[in-house]
Amino acid sequence: MSVKILVTARFDETALETLRRYGEVEYAGFAESQRVLAGSKLVRALEGVHVLVTEVDQVKGYVLKKTPDLRVIACCRGEPVNIDVEAATDHGILVLNAPGRNGDAVADLTLLFMLALLRHFLPLAAMLRQPGDGMEKLAHAFYDYRGNELWGKTVGLIGLGAVGRRVAQRLRPFGARVLAYDPYVAPETGAEVGATLVGLDELLGESDIVSLHAPLNEETQGLIGEAEFRKMKPGAYFVNTARAGLTDEDALYRALKDGHLAGAALDVFLEEPPPPDHPLLTLPNVIATPHIGGNTAEVVIHQSHIVTEDLVRLFEGQRPHNVVNPEALERFQWPQKLDG
Amino acid sequence: MYESREDLEKVLSRLAERIQADPAFIEASKGKNLVVAMEFPDLEVFFHTRFQDGTVAAGLGEPEEEPTVELVMDSDVFDRIFSGKLNPAKAAMKGDLAFSGNATAAMKFQRTLSDFIRLYQQAKQDVGI
């Protein structure tokens, strides 16, 4: 008898092939089936399953009570928000995650935002489609929308985790100076990606662009409010591809409306999707997208390989890298009937 | 919110009666053919509503056919959504509501939300909860 693996996450074929070397794999990707498993359907789907590779299924405590064969949940997300980790730990089920799966995607979008703000990309891209005299438009574009380069700019990154580090690496060839604020990162780590670690006030006061890359938790909730926006340089830009809860949206609106900040690019809002009359969407100096940071085809490849690498380690008796509940690892074992 | 499975079933049974007789629901069902299933795993209760071109059938239990749209949520989440206190999109984003099925059909169902809320409140009053 071999390990039975149910994969409901979006998953890369080569990673599935790797898993098939270690067990019997059933692939039922939620994107194809348009089915999110929860409640009794999830319980039925997990009958005899030892490893669940999931992305969106609702793995609650009452499900785990009824899935005695389950040993591992590999969650293809940075934060396993769809898993009741405490209940999993109580049942001795190991939970793995996929930190950094969308690091490249979000870092790419962040750079896109920075360049779009500096080059007034949105109004200029719309200009030629608008009615009016072509020469006037040309003059308007040339004189009123002269852009700036990233070269020589100071970019302040708040948070130097998986995304922040990738943003710093991408900024290097542009010739930008990169500052970073992250109380949990050593200066050497910053230096590795070309970022200088500084205090928050120094970062806010010196940066031409401030970009958020911190996780949202009790410590960071509302980190950038009225006082912090006012500490930013007049005419600076603000980018948020992380979480809206890190900021005070009303304070950001005021700082943009009165011209203290030159512009902002936002992929996240407190209410998603924001209604069309959301105050920030009424401002011409705001670029807004509907939380698309991690929405690339390549994220599926990244998440597949991150969790597959850890599952292979587990199958081969090694310690996985990304364990959400290490206390479960201490007493982890495959069912005895699988051994040998 | 619900202290027992029986309390929830009482309200849902009454809700089913009201849905089937409600002119707004009957009107909304015209030209539609969709089945909405709900599961409340904390109390192990199922409920379904079938819209079939001018007729509406609702009741406890799982539908016989594969539902077009399936919603799974705890009973307190259900109560907050159908009391107008919790936005279903927010509940889904937080992982408190699992949605499966045809997204276009779900949008059609969402248009009945205000009527659903109205009838749910009436059903609660009817059974004194």
Side-chain angles (χ1 to χ4, degrees), chain B residues 53-77:
Chain B
D53 198 15
T55 62
V56 187
L60 290 169
E62 292 185 73
E64 288 169 7
E65 62 275 74
E66 183 69 16
T68 327
V69 176
E70 193 173 10
L71 304 166
V72 182
M73 68 205 115
D74 283 349
S75 56
D76 68 312
V77 173

PDB file of all heavy atoms in Angstrom, chain B residues 53-77:
ATOM      1  N   ASP B  53     -37.487  27.921 -13.672  1.00  0.00           N
ATOM      2  CA  ASP B  53     -38.341  28.666 -14.603  1.00  0.00           C
ATOM      3  C   ASP B  53     -39.770  28.897 -14.097  1.00  0.00           C
ATOM      4  O   ASP B  53     -40.738  28.328 -14.613  1.00  0.00           O
ATOM      5  CB  ASP B  53     -38.373  27.947 -15.961  1.00  0.00           C
ATOM      6  CG  ASP B  53     -38.865  28.918 -17.048  1.00  0.00           C
ATOM      7  OD1 ASP B  53     -38.888  30.143 -16.791  1.00  0.00           O
ATOM      8  OD2 ASP B  53     -39.220  28.452 -18.132  1.00  0.00           O
ATOM      9  N   GLY B  54     -39.874  29.724 -13.081  1.00  0.00           N
ATOM     10  CA  GLY B  54     -41.202  30.089 -12.581  1.00  0.00           C
ATOM     11  C   GLY B  54     -41.658  29.335 -11.356  1.00  0.00           C
ATOM     12  O   GLY B  54     -42.690  29.660 -10.773  1.00  0.00           O
ATOM     13  N   THR B  55     -40.896  28.338 -10.947  1.00  0.00           N
ATOM     14  CA  THR B  55     -41.230  27.660  -9.687  1.00  0.00           C
ATOM     15  C   THR B  55     -39.995  27.628  -8.795  1.00  0.00           C
ATOM     16  O   THR B  55     -38.856  27.574  -9.274  1.00  0.00           O
ATOM     17  CB  THR B  55     -41.702  26.201  -9.911  1.00  0.00           C
ATOM     18  OG1 THR B  55     -40.633  25.477 -10.519  1.00  0.00           O
ATOM     19  CG2 THR B  55     -42.953  26.135 -10.761  1.00  0.00           C
ATOM     20  N   VAL B  56     -40.270  27.665  -7.507  1.00  0.00           N
ATOM     21  CA  VAL B  56     -39.173  27.618  -6.530  1.00  0.00           C
ATOM     22  C   VAL B  56     -39.496  26.515  -5.526  1.00  0.00           C
ATOM     23  O   VAL B  56     -40.600  26.450  -4.997  1.00  0.00           O
ATOM     24  CB  VAL B  56     -39.037  28.950  -5.760  1.00  0.00           C
ATOM     25  CG1 VAL B  56     -37.796  28.922  -4.879  1.00  0.00           C
ATOM     26  CG2 VAL B  56     -38.968  30.127  -6.710  1.00  0.00           C
ATOM     27  N   ALA B  57     -38.524  25.650  -5.323  1.00  0.00           N
ATOM     28  CA  ALA B  57     -38.678  24.612  -4.302  1.00  0.00           C
ATOM     29  C   ALA B  57     -37.516  24.742  -3.326  1.00  0.00           C
ATOM     30  O   ALA B  57     -36.379  24.971  -3.746  1.00  0.00           O
ATOM     31  CB  ALA B  57     -38.674  23.238  -4.953  1.00  0.00           C
ATOM     32  N   ALA B  58     -37.812  24.624  -2.055  1.00  0.00           N
ATOM     33  CA  ALA B  58     -36.746  24.732  -1.061  1.00  0.00           C
ATOM     34  C   ALA B  58     -37.012  23.728   0.042  1.00  0.00           C
ATOM     35  O   ALA B  58     -38.159  23.336   0.280  1.00  0.00           O
ATOM     36  CB  ALA B  58     -36.689  26.149  -0.494  1.00  0.00           C
ATOM     37  N   GLY B  59     -35.953  23.309   0.712  1.00  0.00           N
ATOM     38  CA  GLY B  59     -36.169  22.363   1.802  1.00  0.00           C
ATOM     39  C   GLY B  59     -34.875  21.951   2.468  1.00  0.00           C
ATOM     40  O   GLY B  59     -33.781  22.263   1.994  1.00  0.00           O
ATOM     41  N   LEU B  60     -35.020  21.246   3.571  1.00  0.00           N
ATOM     42  CA  LEU B  60     -33.862  20.718   4.287  1.00  0.00           C
ATOM     43  C   LEU B  60     -33.258  19.567   3.489  1.00  0.00           C
ATOM     44  O   LEU B  60     -33.942  18.932   2.686  1.00  0.00           O
ATOM     45  CB  LEU B  60     -34.275  20.221   5.669  1.00  0.00           C
ATOM     46  CG  LEU B  60     -34.672  21.298   6.686  1.00  0.00           C
ATOM     47  CD1 LEU B  60     -35.323  20.661   7.910  1.00  0.00           C
ATOM     48  CD2 LEU B  60     -33.454  22.114   7.098  1.00  0.00           C
ATOM     49  N   GLY B  61     -32.004  19.283   3.756  1.00  0.00           N
ATOM     50  CA  GLY B  61     -31.352  18.141   3.123  1.00  0.00           C
ATOM     51  C   GLY B  61     -30.573  18.530   1.879  1.00  0.00           C
ATOM     52  O   GLY B  61     -30.657  19.672   1.408  1.00  0.00           O
ATOM     53  N   GLU B  62     -29.803  17.565   1.385  1.00  0.00           N
ATOM     54  CA  GLU B  62     -29.018  17.804   0.174  1.00  0.00           C
ATOM     55  C   GLU B  62     -29.918  17.656  -1.050  1.00  0.00           C
ATOM     56  O   GLU B  62     -30.826  16.823  -1.048  1.00  0.00           O
ATOM     57  CB  GLU B  62     -27.878  16.786   0.082  1.00  0.00           C
ATOM     58  CG  GLU B  62     -26.826  16.979   1.167  1.00  0.00           C
ATOM     59  CD  GLU B  62     -25.644  16.042   0.988  1.00  0.00           C
ATOM     60  OE1 GLU B  62     -24.840  16.275   0.075  1.00  0.00           O
ATOM     61  OE2 GLU B  62     -25.530  15.084   1.750  1.00  0.00           O
ATOM     62  N   PRO B  63     -29.699  18.429  -2.107  1.00  0.00           N
ATOM     63  CA  PRO B  63     -30.507  18.257  -3.314  1.00  0.00           C
ATOM     64  C   PRO B  63     -30.178  16.923  -3.984  1.00  0.00           C
ATOM     65  O   PRO B  63     -29.082  16.395  -3.799  1.00  0.00           O
ATOM     66  CB  PRO B  63     -30.070  19.437  -4.187  1.00  0.00           C
ATOM     67  CG  PRO B  63     -28.698  19.774  -3.722  1.00  0.00           C
ATOM     68  CD  PRO B  63     -28.651  19.450  -2.259  1.00  0.00           C
ATOM     69  N   GLU B  64     -31.121  16.415  -4.757  1.00  0.00           N
ATOM     70  CA  GLU B  64     -30.881  15.126  -5.421  1.00  0.00           C
ATOM     71  C   GLU B  64     -29.842  15.277  -6.531  1.00  0.00           C
ATOM     72  O   GLU B  64     -29.046  14.372  -6.769  1.00  0.00           O
ATOM     73  CB  GLU B  64     -32.196  14.607  -6.021  1.00  0.00           C
ATOM     74  CG  GLU B  64     -33.162  14.116  -4.956  1.00  0.00           C
ATOM     75  CD  GLU B  64     -34.546  13.859  -5.507  1.00  0.00           C
ATOM     76  OE1 GLU B  64     -34.731  13.935  -6.738  1.00  0.00           O
ATOM     77  OE2 GLU B  64     -35.451  13.607  -4.691  1.00  0.00           O
ATOM     78  N   GLU B  65     -29.868  16.429  -7.207  1.00  0.00           N
ATOM     79  CA  GLU B  65     -28.929  16.637  -8.309  1.00  0.00           C
ATOM     80  C   GLU B  65     -27.687  17.398  -7.826  1.00  0.00           C
ATOM     81  O   GLU B  65     -27.664  17.932  -6.728  1.00  0.00           O
ATOM     82  CB  GLU B  65     -29.600  17.413  -9.453  1.00  0.00           C
ATOM     83  CG  GLU B  65     -30.080  18.812  -9.084  1.00  0.00           C
ATOM     84  CD  GLU B  65     -31.468  18.813  -8.440  1.00  0.00           C
ATOM     85  OE1 GLU B  65     -31.554  18.397  -7.258  1.00  0.00           O
ATOM     86  OE2 GLU B  65     -32.427  19.285  -9.073  1.00  0.00           O
ATOM     87  N   GLU B  66     -26.666  17.412  -8.678  1.00  0.00           N
ATOM     88  CA  GLU B  66     -25.449  18.182  -8.358  1.00  0.00           C
ATOM     89  C   GLU B  66     -25.819  19.662  -8.330  1.00  0.00           C
ATOM     90  O   GLU B  66     -26.388  20.181  -9.305  1.00  0.00           O
ATOM     91  CB  GLU B  66     -24.387  17.914  -9.432  1.00  0.00           C
ATOM     92  CG  GLU B  66     -23.049  18.575  -9.196  1.00  0.00           C
ATOM     93  CD  GLU B  66     -22.270  17.985  -8.020  1.00  0.00           C
ATOM     94  OE1 GLU B  66     -22.599  16.864  -7.560  1.00  0.00           O
ATOM     95  OE2 GLU B  66     -21.358  18.658  -7.559  1.00  0.00           O
ATOM     96  N   PRO B  67     -25.556  20.366  -7.239  1.00  0.00           N
ATOM     97  CA  PRO B  67     -25.955  21.778  -7.185  1.00  0.00           C
ATOM     98  C   PRO B  67     -25.172  22.656  -8.165  1.00  0.00           C
ATOM     99  O   PRO B  67     -24.016  22.371  -8.465  1.00  0.00           O
ATOM    100  CB  PRO B  67     -25.654  22.182  -5.740  1.00  0.00           C
ATOM    101  CG  PRO B  67     -24.704  21.173  -5.242  1.00  0.00           C
ATOM    102  CD  PRO B  67     -24.927  19.908  -6.012  1.00  0.00           C
ATOM    103  N   THR B  68     -25.841  23.700  -8.648  1.00  0.00           N
ATOM    104  CA  THR B  68     -25.153  24.661  -9.515  1.00  0.00           C
ATOM    105  C   THR B  68     -24.196  25.502  -8.676  1.00  0.00           C
ATOM    106  O   THR B  68     -23.109  25.859  -9.116  1.00  0.00           O
ATOM    107  CB  THR B  68     -26.184  25.612 -10.166  1.00  0.00           C
ATOM    108  OG1 THR B  68     -27.398  24.929 -10.392  1.00  0.00           O
ATOM    109  CG2 THR B  68     -25.657  26.202 -11.448  1.00  0.00           C
ATOM    110  N   VAL B  69     -24.664  25.842  -7.501  1.00  0.00           N
ATOM    111  CA  VAL B  69     -23.880  26.663  -6.574  1.00  0.00           C
ATOM    112  C   VAL B  69     -23.953  25.997  -5.204  1.00  0.00           C
ATOM    113  O   VAL B  69     -25.012  25.535  -4.788  1.00  0.00           O
ATOM    114  CB  VAL B  69     -24.464  28.092  -6.466  1.00  0.00           C
ATOM    115  CG1 VAL B  69     -23.692  28.911  -5.432  1.00  0.00           C
ATOM    116  CG2 VAL B  69     -24.441  28.791  -7.810  1.00  0.00           C
ATOM    117  N   GLU B  70     -22.807  25.968  -4.536  1.00  0.00           N
ATOM    118  CA  GLU B  70     -22.770  25.344  -3.220  1.00  0.00           C
ATOM    119  C   GLU B  70     -22.098  26.294  -2.237  1.00  0.00           C
ATOM    120  O   GLU B  70     -21.037  26.836  -2.518  1.00  0.00           O
ATOM    121  CB  GLU B  70     -21.970  24.044  -3.327  1.00  0.00           C
ATOM    122  CG  GLU B  70     -22.108  23.161  -2.131  1.00  0.00           C
ATOM    123  CD  GLU B  70     -21.441  21.818  -2.385  1.00  0.00           C
ATOM    124  OE1 GLU B  70     -20.741  21.679  -3.407  1.00  0.00           O
ATOM    125  OE2 GLU B  70     -21.619  20.922  -1.570  1.00  0.00           O
ATOM    126  N   LEU B  71     -22.736  26.495  -1.098  1.00  0.00           N
ATOM    127  CA  LEU B  71     -22.187  27.376  -0.078  1.00  0.00           C
ATOM    128  C   LEU B  71     -22.026  26.578   1.211  1.00  0.00           C
ATOM    129  O   LEU B  71     -22.961  25.899   1.637  1.00  0.00           O
ATOM    130  CB  LEU B  71     -23.124  28.557   0.169  1.00  0.00           C
ATOM    131  CG  LEU B  71     -23.474  29.408  -1.053  1.00  0.00           C
ATOM    132  CD1 LEU B  71     -24.652  30.325  -0.749  1.00  0.00           C
ATOM    133  CD2 LEU B  71     -22.270  30.229  -1.478  1.00  0.00           C
ATOM    134  N   VAL B  72     -20.846  26.637   1.788  1.00  0.00           N
ATOM    135  CA  VAL B  72     -20.602  25.940   3.051  1.00  0.00           C
ATOM    136  C   VAL B  72     -20.147  26.974   4.073  1.00  0.00           C
ATOM    137  O   VAL B  72     -19.206  27.734   3.818  1.00  0.00           O
ATOM    138  CB  VAL B  72     -19.515  24.846   2.902  1.00  0.00           C
ATOM    139  CG1 VAL B  72     -19.321  24.110   4.223  1.00  0.00           C
ATOM    140  CG2 VAL B  72     -19.892  23.869   1.805  1.00  0.00           C
ATOM    141  N   MET B  73     -20.857  27.016   5.180  1.00  0.00           N
ATOM    142  CA  MET B  73     -20.507  28.000   6.221  1.00  0.00           C
ATOM    143  C   MET B  73     -21.066  27.524   7.543  1.00  0.00           C
ATOM    144  O   MET B  73     -22.049  26.767   7.579  1.00  0.00           O
ATOM    145  CB  MET B  73     -21.079  29.376   5.858  1.00  0.00           C
ATOM    146  CG  MET B  73     -22.588  29.454   5.914  1.00  0.00           C
ATOM    147  SD  MET B  73     -23.270  30.747   4.854  1.00  0.00           S
ATOM    148  CE  MET B  73     -24.190  29.737   3.677  1.00  0.00           C
ATOM    149  N   ASP B  74     -20.466  27.986   8.619  1.00  0.00           N
ATOM    150  CA  ASP B  74     -21.020  27.676   9.936  1.00  0.00           C
ATOM    151  C   ASP B  74     -22.328  28.428  10.117  1.00  0.00           C
ATOM    152  O   ASP B  74     -22.558  29.457   9.463  1.00  0.00           O
ATOM    153  CB  ASP B  74     -20.018  28.060  11.031  1.00  0.00           C
ATOM    154  CG  ASP B  74     -18.903  27.022  11.141  1.00  0.00           C
ATOM    155  OD1 ASP B  74     -19.038  25.946  10.537  1.00  0.00           O
ATOM    156  OD2 ASP B  74     -17.911  27.293  11.829  1.00  0.00           O
ATOM    157  N   SER B  75     -23.160  27.938  11.024  1.00  0.00           N
ATOM    158  CA  SER B  75     -24.493  28.521  11.177  1.00  0.00           C
ATOM    159  C   SER B  75     -24.442  29.985  11.627  1.00  0.00           C
ATOM    160  O   SER B  75     -25.287  30.782  11.239  1.00  0.00           O
ATOM    161  CB  SER B  75     -25.322  27.693  12.162  1.00  0.00           C
ATOM    162  OG  SER B  75     -24.656  27.595  13.399  1.00  0.00           O
ATOM    163  N   ASP B  76     -23.436  30.341  12.412  1.00  0.00           N
ATOM    164  CA  ASP B  76     -23.375  31.744  12.853  1.00  0.00           C
ATOM    165  C   ASP B  76     -22.981  32.667  11.686  1.00  0.00           C
ATOM    166  O   ASP B  76     -23.441  33.803  11.606  1.00  0.00           O
ATOM    167  CB  ASP B  76     -22.421  31.932  14.047  1.00  0.00           C
ATOM    168  CG  ASP B  76     -20.988  31.708  13.662  1.00  0.00           C
ATOM    169  OD1 ASP B  76     -20.708  30.690  13.007  1.00  0.00           O
ATOM    170  OD2 ASP B  76     -20.141  32.552  14.014  1.00  0.00           O
ATOM    171  N   VAL B  77     -22.148  32.167  10.781  1.00  0.00           N
ATOM    172  CA  VAL B  77     -21.786  32.952   9.591  1.00  0.00           C
ATOM    173  C   VAL B  77     -23.024  33.129   8.713  1.00  0.00           C
ATOM    174  O   VAL B  77     -23.311  34.231   8.216  1.00  0.00           O
ATOM    175  CB  VAL B  77     -20.645  32.267   8.808  1.00  0.00           C
ATOM    176  CG1 VAL B  77     -20.379  32.983   7.492  1.00  0.00           C
ATOM    177  CG2 VAL B  77     -19.388  32.218   9.660  1.00  0.00           C
TER     178      VAL B  77
END
